[in-house]
Amino acid sequence: MASLQLNSKSLIAPFRHNNNASLLKQCPPRLGSIRCGATTPTRRYSITLLPGDGIGPEVISVAKGVLSLAASLEGIEFGFQEMPMGGAALDLTGVPLPDETLSAARQSDAVLLGAIGGYKWDNNEKHLKPETGLLQLREGLKVFANLRPATVLPQLVDASTLKKEVAEGVDLLVVRELTGGIYFGKPRGFSSNQNGEEIGFNTEVYATSEIDRIARVAFETARKRRGNLCSVDKANVLEASMLWRRRVTAIALEYPDVELTHMYVDNAAMQLVRNPKQFDTIVTNNIFGDILSDEASMITGSIGMLASASLGEKGPGLFEPIHGSAPDIAGQDKANPLATVLSAAMLLKYGLGEKNAAERIEAAVLDTLNRGFRTGDIYSDGNTLVGCKQMGEEVLKSVESEVLDPL
């Protein structure tokens, strides 16, 4: 996977950059061991782990081990705190996001989330659904910018449902506004119309400041990639999108080195399937980003490979795989942990400014795939089928072998 080329320091204030030289004690690789590392950690961070539901605990366990090993090799030490969220929190405390969980997340340096939700809670009232806890967490951490890369790895191009010539070489990033729009707009609710029929209603609303800040994130992102930004809206119909287009166009004057284009969301959805290589960086609102980023993810062949970062102006970022909780395979050692492992790499790079440790993880994922290991969702003939735990063990071997070529 091509590394995201975002300079986090120039993007949003909270990203921490440590320029201290790592005090590494070099030692020969010992496959399967996780003991080799710095004798004296030079940087220490607190990480809140939210395993959540379904396959969440399985993939978080793998990512935690990989994160710890890669960090130790760079002189970094983590303090982990595991907290309940989603359905697990509902069963334990009666709410999807306990106050104690949000407090721990706010006080940490970064948050790593597994997955939430499941059939068990599907019929709950809205305020008692696991997904409500996720929205509350995003709002509580004030993370407004969601970065979702979708890159077709050469090892997995045949796993894409698109023709090889269409999927090969795809490398795009969706920047989604995360805390505004129709998911949070008011008024909302249920009522009756003039005919006495029940109606449900939501409000798509954006303020200038909300659009401007996500636009700047997107322009900074595009500037560090290939210099092309496509803003997706529905400005031919929606007033909120008319304002969106007007403000993104205005912010573009601050970034003359970035080429800005605009596209209606229905056309963008079609073009992602027709010719995804035309896209570099996409910026869009909350609901369109929710849909388009999931569509883009499937171009890569499996949603189990894709990470995401949610960032704010200050405070910890939230890092999570974009797959769901997959309750149908939970506890069966079938989950693909690589999306969560790559989310841990994004945590290091964008949450903590620890680029070297992040690149160790990215390179280890690529090396593991090069050695032919595959979970069921990305398996093809000629490769070795493994479960969640063994995939994690193979990534650990690659990390400890110090495979340092970045993806």
Side-chain angles (χ1 to χ4, degrees):
M1 181 181 295
S3 297
L4 299 181
Q5 297 300 308
L6 186 61
N7 183 331
S8 56
K9 189 172 183 179
S10 67
L11 176 60
I12 304 177
F15 298 167
R16 303 165 179 83
H17 286 255
N18 251 311
N19 295 318
N20 297 344
S22 300
L23 302 178
L24 296 183
K25 178 181 179 181
Q26 297 296 331
C27 57
R30 297 189 305 279
L31 300 186
S33 167
I34 59 171
R35 301 300 181 185
C36 177
T39 54
T40 305
T42 59
R43 284 97 68 203
R44 292 179 172 85
Y45 302 104
S46 62
I47 307 297
T48 296
L49 300 176
L50 306 175
D53 311 317
I55 63 173
E58 299 171 67
V59 296
I60 283 290
S61 177
V62 170
K64 178 183 177 182
V66 174
L67 185 62
S68 297
L69 177 58
S72 71
L73 293 170
E74 294 293 334
I76 302 166
E77 182 178 56
F78 288 127
F80 293 101
Q81 184 173 15
E82 189 171 308
M83 300 296 291
M85 183 185 164
L90 278 165
D91 290 348
L92 188 65
T93 70
V95 295
L97 182 66
D99 291 341
E100 294 80 4
T101 296
L102 179 57
S103 177
R106 283 173 170 166
Q107 294 174 32
S108 63
D109 293 305
V111 180
L112 185 63
L113 170 66
I116 58 154
Y119 310 131
K120 180 179 180 180
W121 307 281
D122 280 351
N123 294 323
N124 284 16
E125 295 182 45
K126 181 182 175 182
H127 71 286
L128 295 178
K129 286 183 177 291
E131 294 78 10
T132 297
L134 180 57
L135 294 178
Q136 292 170 341
L137 179 65
R138 291 170 178 169
E139 190 172 25
L141 294 178
K142 300 186 186 304
V143 288
F144 67 88
N146 181 236
L147 277 59
R148 289 194 178 187
T151 303
V152 177
L153 299 178
Q155 297 89 345
L156 300 179
V157 65
D158 291 329
S160 176
T161 53
L162 298 182
K163 294 179 180 178
K164 183 175 181 179
E165 59 267 26
V166 176
E168 195 168 33
V170 170
D171 177 16
L172 63 88
L173 178 71
V174 178
V175 179
R176 168 190 171 191
E177 200 288 323
L178 201 58
T179 57
I182 199 167
Y183 292 167
F184 294 94
K186 296 178 180 180
R188 62 188 298 158
F190 300 94
S191 185
S192 299
N193 63 16
Q194 60 270 27
N195 298 322
E197 295 177 291
E198 185 178 17
I199 61 171
F201 56 94
N202 297 84
T203 303
E204 167 75 359
V205 57
Y206 272 104
T208 295
S209 59
E210 292 177 304
I211 301 170
D212 288 0
R213 68 182 183 178
I214 193 66
R216 289 193 173 93
V217 170
F219 277 107
E220 292 285 352
T221 304
R223 172 179 278 174
K224 301 304 178 183
R225 286 173 54 85
R226 299 189 298 276
N228 297 299
L229 177 64
C230 179
S231 177
V232 174
D233 58 41
K234 193 62 176 171
N236 57 336
V237 175
L238 302 176
E239 283 77 5
S241 278
M242 296 173 192
L243 177 62
W244 179 282
R245 182 171 292 207
R246 191 160 69 241
R247 290 310 308 164
V248 172
T249 301
I251 297 299
L253 298 175
E254 301 174 16
Y255 299 89
D257 54 326
V258 177
E259 180 181 353
L260 173 66
T261 57
H262 300 276
M263 191 175 289
Y264 296 142
V265 64
D266 45 351
N267 186 32
M270 179 181 69
Q271 294 296 330
L272 274 171
V273 177
R274 176 180 175 272
N275 180 22
K277 284 194 284 284
Q278 70 182 282
F279 295 106
D280 171 19
T281 307
I282 295 172
V283 62
T284 191
N285 68 9
N286 204 342
I287 188 168
F288 297 161
D290 191 359
I291 296 166
L292 292 179
S293 59
D294 278 1
E295 181 187 9
S297 74
M298 291 313 299
I299 298 170
T300 69
S302 174
I303 203 169
M305 289 296 300
L306 299 181
S308 76
S310 299
L311 311 168
E313 293 183 60
K314 60 182 179 179
L318 173 63
F319 304 85
E320 58 182 305
I322 72 169
H323 59 66
S325 62
D328 54 320
I329 62 169
Q332 300 176 39
D333 195 35
K334 293 181 178 180
N336 184 347
L338 295 183
T340 314
V341 169
L342 290 169
S343 295
M346 294 188 81
L347 181 155
L348 286 164
K349 186 179 297 184
Y350 303 124
L352 306 178
E354 297 287 358
K355 180 181 178 181
N356 290 343
E359 289 183 348
R360 283 183 181 271
I361 292 178
E362 292 173 336
V365 168
L366 185 58
D367 180 64
T368 302
L369 293 173
N370 280 337
R371 291 189 290 119
F373 293 99
R374 303 285 190 273
T375 47
D377 58 312
I378 55 174
Y379 177 76
S380 60
D381 290 343
N383 294 300
T384 303
L385 179 64
V386 296
C388 182
K389 290 181 181 179
Q390 187 177 344
M391 181 64 88
E393 291 168 0
E394 296 301 332
V395 175
L396 283 173
K397 291 177 184 178
S398 291
V399 171
E400 194 167 31
S401 294
E402 300 184 40
V403 183
L404 295 178
D405 292 333
L407 300 179

